[in-house]
Amino acid sequence: MTKIKTIIVLFGLVLSTLFGSANCLQKCIEDNTPISIIKTSGQSGVDRSSSIAASIKDHYLTINFLTDIGHVWIKVTDASGMTLDLEYSETPTGYMYYIPSAGHYVVVFTFTDGDEYYGEFDVTD
C-alpha cells in the first residue's frame, strides 16, 4: 500500500513539473523578438528565407533552420562591420550566440551556391 501512495505522489509531482515547464517554455518563446531575414544576392532563384527563423532575447541570438536547406556560413557582425562570430553549419540545426554588449548587429547567412541572406537586430541592456 505504501508503494502505491508513493507512486501516486511521484506521479503528481512529475505532472506538475511538466505543466510548469511547458508554461515556461511557451513564455520564453513568446519573449523572443523575431529578426526579419532578407535575401541580398544569389542566382539560385529559390527563396530560403522562410526556412530561417532568427530571434533575439536580451543578449542571446537564436537561429533555427526549419528545413534541410544545405550547408551555410553564419556570420555575426557589429555596426562597424567587425566579425564577432563565424560558424559553418549543416541544416537543419540550431545555433545560439551570446552578444556581449548592447548595439546594432547584423547576422549574414551564406549558402554554398552563393545565395546570401541577412537580418539586422539591436541588443539593449
Side-chain angles (χ1 to χ4, degrees):
M1 188 65 168
T2 337
K3 285 184 180 181
I4 293 174
K5 287 182 183 179
T6 305
I7 290 172
I8 291 172
V9 170
L10 289 175
F11 185 70
L13 287 172
V14 168
L15 282 179
S16 62
T17 303
L18 288 174
F19 289 127
S21 298
N23 288 337
C24 176
L25 178 62
Q26 184 62 33
K27 182 169 176 49
C28 291
I29 289 171
E30 290 172 356
D31 288 345
N32 288 357
T33 304
I35 299 170
S36 295
I37 304 301
I38 301 164
K39 185 174 183 177
T40 59
S41 65
Q43 308 299 325
S44 75
V46 177
D47 184 8
R48 295 180 250 193
S49 61
S50 63
S51 296
I52 305 169
S55 62
I56 187 76
K57 181 176 191 278
D58 298 327
H59 287 261
Y60 292 94
L61 171 65
T62 305
I63 299 166
N64 291 309
F65 296 100
L66 307 174
T67 59
D68 185 359
I69 51 178
H71 297 13
V72 62
W73 284 98
I74 305 166
K75 179 170 71 169
V76 180
T77 61
D78 64 10
S80 68
M82 186 175 100
T83 300
L84 301 176
D85 192 42
L86 183 63
E87 179 77 24
Y88 184 71
S89 179
E90 293 184 30
T91 61
T93 58
Y95 169 81
M96 182 178 264
Y97 181 70
Y98 179 78
I99 308 290
S101 55
H104 185 76
Y105 296 90
V106 177
V107 59
V108 179
F109 306 94
T110 306
F111 290 90
T112 54
D113 63 1
D115 282 0
E116 191 171 278
Y117 298 78
Y118 77 97
E120 296 185 41
F121 60 96
D122 293 310
V123 174
T124 57
D125 279 331

